[in-house]
Amino acid sequence: MLFDLSELSETKKYKIMSNTIFPRPVAWIATEDAGVVNLAPFSYFAPLSSEPPLVIVSIAHKEDGTPKDTYRNLHAHGRCTINLAHKGLLQDLERTAQELDFGISESEHFGIAMRHTLEGYPPMVEGAHCALFCTLVRTVDLGARYEPMVLRIEQIYVNDEHVDAQGRITLEQIGRVGIEYLVDALRVRA
């Protein structure tokens, strides 16, 4: 079957893309404004390059066209902390996908423990095994509801238990496969 995306609704395009381009990692992004921590998951997220160390996350505006809190906070302050969740955090991650009013902290509202790890950056999720501390490089205006944001990774936190003596990192993170989550991954060494 051949799908002509120019003839499909945004919802149909999303369903086709999210069921064909997988697994997609989930960026659980913490931003901060006036002491309020916003915490929201985004599955249109991928590494872009390692030199410079860049990732890209695509953030849609709300249905009414206003920017989501993550987008607004990143433009205002230029920094975020991307938490990479594991299956023990899946329920918390799903809860933070709910849209709350601006100024309400998802971490406080849902009782998700946070901790400050790196000065000048929003806190990370206490139970996360990995977090990327990023600065905004640029937003790509596509003239659409989604706007990709290029972020530079300044520092990466990995829990000591997940780094072996040779410096190899082993993490089991949540990804998206269509509407389902991928929570256990088979590891094969090349």
Side-chain angles (χ1 to χ4, degrees), residues 4-18 44 58-65 68 143-147:
D4 183 347
L5 273 61
S6 68
E7 297 176 358
L8 302 177
S9 69
E10 179 183 343
T11 301
K12 185 67 173 172
K13 286 186 252 189
Y14 174 82
K15 287 179 180 179
I16 291 170
M17 290 175 65
S18 68
Y44 272 9
S58 191
I59 300 176
H61 289 292
K62 296 177 185 179
E63 292 291 330
D64 66 5
K68 288 190 175 182
R145 197 167 86 97
Y146 284 88
E147 290 195 44

Side-chain angles (χ1 to χ4, degrees), residues 42-153:
F42 297 91
S43 66
Y44 272 9
F45 163 64
L48 193 56
S49 73
S50 53
E51 189 53 49
L54 301 174
V55 295
I56 192 164
V57 62
S58 191
I59 300 176
H61 289 292
K62 296 177 185 179
E63 292 291 330
D64 66 5
T66 60
K68 288 190 175 182
D69 299 349
T70 302
Y71 181 94
R72 183 187 307 190
N73 292 346
L74 262 167
H75 272 276
H77 305 288
R79 292 189 173 188
C80 70
T81 300
I82 300 175
N83 300 275
L84 300 174
H86 52 81
K87 66 182 172 182
L89 296 172
L90 181 57
Q91 284 186 326
D92 287 338
L93 181 134
E94 286 183 314
R95 284 192 286 247
T96 60
Q98 295 178 39
E99 197 169 291
L100 301 178
D101 290 337
F102 184 73
I104 297 176
S105 170
E106 288 81 1
S107 59
E108 288 181 21
H109 185 79
F110 297 113
I112 301 167
M114 306 291 286
R115 69 173 174 161
H116 283 279
T117 303
L118 186 60
E119 184 68 34
Y121 288 84
M124 65 178 281
V125 173
E126 177 69 35
H129 297 158
C130 182
L132 314 176
F133 298 93
C134 302
T135 54
L136 177 63
V137 174
R138 74 173 48 119
T139 299
V140 181
D141 183 0
L142 301 176
R145 197 167 86 97
Y146 284 88
E147 290 195 44
M149 302 180 92
V150 178
L151 304 168
R152 181 183 179 97
I153 304 169

Side-chain angles (χ1 to χ4, degrees), residues 159-180:
N159 183 297
D160 291 344
E161 295 174 17
H162 298 277
V163 183
D164 70 15
Q166 288 75 37
R168 290 185 299 250
I169 298 169
T170 303
L171 295 168
E172 290 186 6
Q173 299 165 11
I174 294 172
R176 290 300 297 261
V177 179
I179 62 168
E180 301 294 325

